[in-house]
Structures are given as structure tokens and as C-alpha cells.
Amino acid sequence: MGADSILTGPMLPTSTRVSISSAAALPPSADAVAIFIEEKAKVFDGVALSSAERSAAQRLIAAGVARGKAKEVAADLVEGTGKKTRHLMLVGIGRREKVTTETIRQAAGALAKSARRRRVKNVAIIVPVAAGRLPASSAVEAIVSGFLLASFKYEEHKGTASKKNEGDEEEAQAVQVTLVGSAKQRKATDAAINRARIIADGQNFARTIASRPGNEINPPSLAKVAQQLAKEAGLKTRILDERELKRLGMGGILAVGAGSTLTPPRMIVLEYRPKSGANGRGKNSRPLLVVGKAITFDTGGISIKPADKMGKMIFDKCGAMAVLGLMYAVAKMKLPIGVVGILSSAENHISESAYRPGDILKMYNGVTVEVTNTDAEGRLVLGDALAWGIETYKPAAVLDLATLTGGVVVALGKSMAGVMGNSNALFAEVQTAADRAGEKIWRLPIGDDQRELMKSDFADIVNSGPREAHPLQGGAFLSYFVPQDNSVPWMHLDIAGVADTEKELPYYAKGATGWGVRTLVEWVSERAEEK
């Protein structure tokens, strides 16, 4: 059972094409067979292998070449079925008691990269019968997820000279992956492949648009991308342009976008509604609301950023890119729950029309904001989106995602996101979803002390307070734009440390990660399953 990908169409070109299917036996056409092994495995209990492959696997283990250490790949050329020479690849997943879906996902990423280096075009992966304590379907999802994410490379602007120099012509060819498992589990395996493929496609979609530079992606062109996605996935769209934003009184997003007269701000709404009556959540049920910051380029405004890494500010839209990926996935999965995604988008530029420190803005909900730093712009576009989205859609719960503060990177590093909000129950849901997704989060406090830091002498609040508690100030600011009686559960995810990476990770290349798509999908999926 194969699965097509939005990444193979003309809208989203990618250098690596991966087709995934399942089978009950090793395909004769495979030029590599991959097996997952635990650390310190003494014997190898493979299935459906030739005697030469089985002997080679046991030899690699006995010689200590294949140690089973997490993310370690040992390979050898051996004689397979029908005397065809092919690669035997033993992929380490670590100690049995520590195996998780994330362990498998990272191992699959290492396998994908190893296969690419060896120019393997047809790889058969034997599904582990019992990877630690994981059910086979969970292992399948993790394998597919890790392989597809690791196979992604953003190369839309790679010219023929670059590809010739780097030898990338071979990489551009299609890769066939076959997951080999029990015939009795074929239906479950196919379902797991399909789910993992949809989510990975959504995440790679997010990575693609996040990686597109500022001269291609700005608020109006991002709106067109969202409309294309909506057409592909079956979503409803609503685009609020600068005239509508002004009519609604959205002073935050308008101020941030004022410096860019050629590419004015947009509030982009994507709406998914399930068929009426599905799981008791019909067209008129309260949806979930997910809001993303989409600053398509951020100079810092008059409070200008340092020049050395300003080019990385194309990734200041990554919160909203996670929302794009989520909305694609929920529509393709046909989840029985309504979801509204809002991308609040502006360019933060410097010009005679740009907003200034000292300006006082009136937000959609009437809260006034003294601008103390024009580089604290993300919370302004999010504030309007949260207040309007909650009033308009009356959601059952709200999440927002943003590359909001450098302070969260100082506090938590580059491996986890900071989370804060008004609901212990909602945080527990997000934590469970993040654990299932293999994306790390850590809760940070916001309360009266943090909200006090945001008070202004001349308006209701400032957009940037004193130096202390910097990562908490963004959440404290945003709390003024959700109901003060906590009647709407809300959580803010600051993803500044995890939205992109400057080094190769097990299943990420350098650049945008699409962080948050998997956590959001798991959260929505769990909500959809509630009775």
C-alpha cells in the first residue's frame, strides 16, 4: 500500500522522493535489508533472510561491529535471496529498557542517512517484533516518521552547478521503502504507515515553507500558500487583509506590519470541520484553536537586531508553519473534531512608516500597549489573533506557538520548548502529546508577579519589560488577551530554541525542523478520541 505525498507535487519540490509500502516477505528487488537490534545482543533472530545474510548479521554482532548502540548503523555487502548481492544494515536502538518511539525514530533517521550515503534506492526494513515494550504499530509509525523526516532536504534554490559539484543527481532519484512484517498485522501496519506519512508530510510541508526566504514568503504570498494548502487538503480559508484588520481595530499586527508598505500584514485563517455528528462533535461544536506567529522576516524594527545572524530571521515564522502542518494533517486524517488555525503574519521592517519605541497601541480587545522595544513584535501579532480568535470561534481550548524570546533558549537550550498558560489540565494534555511525539517541553510559570512586570506607566501594559524573567514576559503579555476568568484553557509554547537547528540532528538536516507539528497532531488526536 503506497502513499502519495504533497511534497512530490510541483508546489513543494524536494530532493528526496520516498515511497513506502508493506509486505509479508522481503521483496526480491531490495538492494538493502535493514534490521533493528538492541544493545549487547548476543544472538540474532532475523526472519526471511538468506543463510548468508543471517550468518553475516551474527558475525557483525559477534565481532562487535554491530553493537546495537542507539543510532549506530553497521553495514556489509552480502549475498541475499536469489544470490543477489545487497547491503545488510544493522541499526542500533540501544538498551531494551530505554527503547521508546523516539529511540526508534532517531534510529530510522540514522538508517535513512546511511542508505542515502550508500546510494541505496530500494530498502526493505524488517519491523521489530518487540522493540523494547513498544507495540509493532508504534514502531512502524516511528520508523516511517524518522525515515521521512531524515530524507527531507530543502533544495529549492540549489542550481545545477551545486548538484553537479555535490554529486546530488543520485539523491534526487526515488527511494522505495518496504516494511516487512507479519501477514496478520498487514492491515495495522498499513494504517500506521498512512498515519505516519500524513504527519511527516505535514511536518516537511512546514519545514519547506519555513525555509523559503523573505523575498519569496511575505504575508500576502504566505496567504496564497495557505490557500493552496486548503485546496489540497479540503480546508476553509479566510484572509483578513490590512483594510479588514484596520476595520476590526487590530492595532498590534497593523503596527508591526506598518514598516513594510509593499507587503502588508495578513491574518490567515484555516478551518477544518468534520462531518456532522462524528463522535458527537458536529459542525456546531466548539473547535480547538491553534494560533501561530508568522513574522516572515524580522529586522527588529527600529530596535534593530545585530547583523550577523539576521538572515536566520526567516525562521521567525515557524510557529505558524507548525499550524500549517497541523491543519494539513487533521484534514487528511479526517479527525472527528473541529480545528481552527490562525497564522498572524507581518514583516517587521524599518522605514519612515515603521512603528516606534514610545508609541501606544490599542489592541483588538481594547488593551493598550506602550511600545518599549520594536523587536518584541511577535506578542503584538499574537495578542490580536488570540483575542479575535477566541471571541470569533469560542474554542474549547487554545494553544499558540511562537519563536518568541531568546530568553527561553538561555533557560532551556536548543532541545526543548517552554510552555506556560492558565490550565493545569491543558498542560497535562500537551505534555502527554509531546511525550508521544518525541518533542520535549518544560513548563514555566506565569502569574501575578510576571504580569506585574508588564505594567506600563502610560498605557495598560508594555510590550517588553525589565531584564528579569525574560522568557516569562511573553507569556505574561499574552495572558492579557485570553479571558481573565480562565474560562478558556490556554497554553503558550515558546519554540525559539527548537524551531530550527544549526547542526545535523538524527532526523533533521540543518535549518527548519517543523517542531510542534507532531505534538499538535497528537494533542488534537487525543481530544478527538475523548468520549
Side-chain angles (χ1 to χ4, degrees):
M1 176 179 148
D4 293 330
S5 165
I6 56 170
L7 295 175
T8 61
M11 179 182 174
L12 295 174
T14 182
S15 64
T16 305
R17 307 290 192 262
V18 182
S19 177
I20 301 181
S21 60
S22 66
L26 285 173
S29 59
D31 52 7
V33 57
I35 305 144
F36 293 88
I37 62 170
E38 297 168 358
E39 190 172 340
K40 297 182 179 180
K42 299 297 183 183
V43 295
F44 172 72
D45 186 25
V47 294
L49 299 180
S50 69
S51 59
E53 286 171 326
R54 187 183 298 273
S55 296
Q58 291 173 330
R59 184 174 65 252
L60 289 172
I61 292 172
V65 177
R67 300 175 294 174
K69 289 186 176 294
K71 298 173 288 185
E72 185 178 79
V73 181
D76 196 6
L77 277 171
V78 300
E79 184 180 291
T81 304
K83 299 188 181 300
K84 175 183 177 181
T85 299
R86 61 188 177 196
H87 295 272
L88 176 67
M89 308 177 78
L90 303 187
V91 187
I93 56 175
R95 294 166 57 182
R96 171 181 285 265
E97 64 272 19
K98 292 188 176 182
V99 173
T100 64
T101 52
E102 180 63 8
T103 307
I104 301 293
R105 188 179 292 111
Q106 292 188 11
L111 170 61
K113 293 180 180 181
S114 180
R116 186 165 63 234
R117 288 193 299 270
R118 290 176 168 80
R119 301 289 194 257
V120 169
K121 297 304 174 185
N122 194 322
V123 56
I125 302 174
I126 297 179
V127 177
V129 176
R133 299 179 180 177
L134 298 177
S137 59
S138 296
V140 168
E141 279 201 41
I143 291 169
V144 173
S145 174
F147 202 100
L148 290 176
L149 294 174
S151 297
F152 175 89
K153 294 180 72 177
Y154 180 73
E155 294 186 322
E156 287 183 330
H157 298 283
K158 283 278 190 178
T160 55
S162 297
K163 292 182 179 181
K164 183 177 180 180
N165 291 337
E166 297 173 13
D168 285 345
E169 296 93 337
E170 290 294 322
E171 289 190 18
Q173 297 177 14
V175 176
Q176 172 65 49
V177 177
T178 305
L179 297 185
V180 181
S182 166
K184 294 180 180 180
Q185 297 294 320
R186 184 79 178 274
K187 186 175 181 180
T189 297
D190 286 344
I193 289 173
N194 187 56
R195 185 177 193 272
R197 168 120 237 175
I198 288 171
I199 297 171
D201 276 354
Q203 187 169 351
N204 285 339
F205 180 96
R207 295 165 76 187
T208 299
I209 308 304
S211 301
R212 287 181 177 168
N215 61 323
E216 291 187 2
I217 292 294
N218 52 56
S221 64
L222 178 59
K224 291 181 180 178
V225 168
Q227 289 171 324
Q228 285 180 288
L229 175 69
K231 184 177 181 181
E232 159 69 20
L235 300 164
K236 294 181 179 179
T237 57
R238 178 180 178 185
I239 310 298
L240 280 63
D241 63 15
E242 65 273 27
R243 294 180 294 276
E244 183 70 0
L245 296 173
K246 185 175 181 179
R247 185 187 70 79
L248 290 169
M250 295 194 182
I253 188 173
L254 285 167
V256 175
S260 182
T261 55
L262 297 178
T263 54
R266 293 287 185 270
M267 193 165 290
I268 303 160
V269 183
L270 294 169
E271 185 174 353
Y272 167 74
R273 291 284 184 177
K275 292 182 179 179
S276 180
N279 202 25
R281 289 171 170 79
K283 293 180 179 178
N284 298 319
S285 62
R286 296 174 66 192
L288 302 176
L289 175 63
V290 185
V291 179
K293 170 189 171 184
I295 301 297
T296 56
F297 192 78
D298 183 17
T299 67
I302 290 174
S303 307
I304 193 168
K305 290 179 178 293
D308 59 340
K309 292 188 177 181
M310 194 184 290
K312 298 293 185 182
M313 287 301 102
I314 63 171
F315 298 130
D316 211 18
K317 57 183 180 288
C318 284
M321 299 307 96
V323 177
L324 276 182
L326 165 71
M327 297 307 295
Y328 171 83
V330 296
K332 287 296 184 179
M333 294 166 70
K334 295 180 171 58
L335 295 179
I337 187 170
V339 184
V340 176
I342 299 178
L343 289 67
S344 196
S345 186
E347 282 192 308
N348 189 18
H349 277 306
I350 304 172
S351 73
E352 62 184 8
S353 60
Y355 78 131
R356 301 157 289 253
D359 285 359
I360 293 179
L361 315 175
K362 187 174 183 180
M363 306 288 284
Y364 174 78
N365 65 347
V367 172
T368 57
V369 179
E370 177 192 356
V371 178
T372 53
N373 187 332
T374 62
D375 195 25
E377 84 297 329
R379 60 201 67 182
L380 294 172
V381 303
L382 285 176
D384 277 336
L386 283 169
W388 178 80
I390 290 170
E391 180 183 288
T392 303
Y393 294 98
K394 298 175 176 54
V398 182
L399 298 183
D400 76 75
L401 296 88
T403 49
L404 209 67
T405 69
V408 82
V409 185
V410 175
L412 300 178
K414 298 281 288 182
S415 65
M416 63 178 65
V419 183
M420 54 207 89
N422 65 7
S423 169
N424 292 334
L426 180 56
F427 173 75
E429 292 178 20
V430 177
Q431 180 70 75
T432 298
D435 289 344
R436 287 174 58 88
E439 295 182 322
K440 297 178 182 178
I441 63 172
W442 193 262
R443 190 173 188 181
L444 299 170
I446 54 170
D448 291 341
D449 291 343
Q450 289 75 39
R451 285 169 58 86
E452 189 66 27
L453 293 173
M454 309 313 294
K455 293 295 181 63
S456 167
D457 291 331
F458 307 108
D460 294 329
I461 54 177
V462 296
N463 75 324
S464 183
R467 187 173 180 82
E468 63 262 30
H470 188 236
L472 312 183
Q473 290 182 27
F477 179 94
L478 294 175
S479 71
Y480 285 89
F481 301 93
V482 299
Q484 299 302 294
D485 60 2
N486 295 340
S487 58
V488 178
W490 157 74
M491 282 283 146
H492 160 64
L493 285 77
D494 191 334
I495 65 171
V498 292
D500 66 282
T501 177
E502 295 180 351
K503 64 179 183 180
E504 290 274 340
L505 296 176
Y507 49 82
Y508 293 140
K510 294 179 181 179
T513 64
W515 194 101
V517 173
R518 298 200 308 273
T519 293
L520 292 176
V521 172
E522 294 295 346
W523 176 62
V524 173
S525 297
E526 286 294 318
R527 279 269 180 161
E529 291 176 5
E530 292 177 1
K531 302 298 182 183

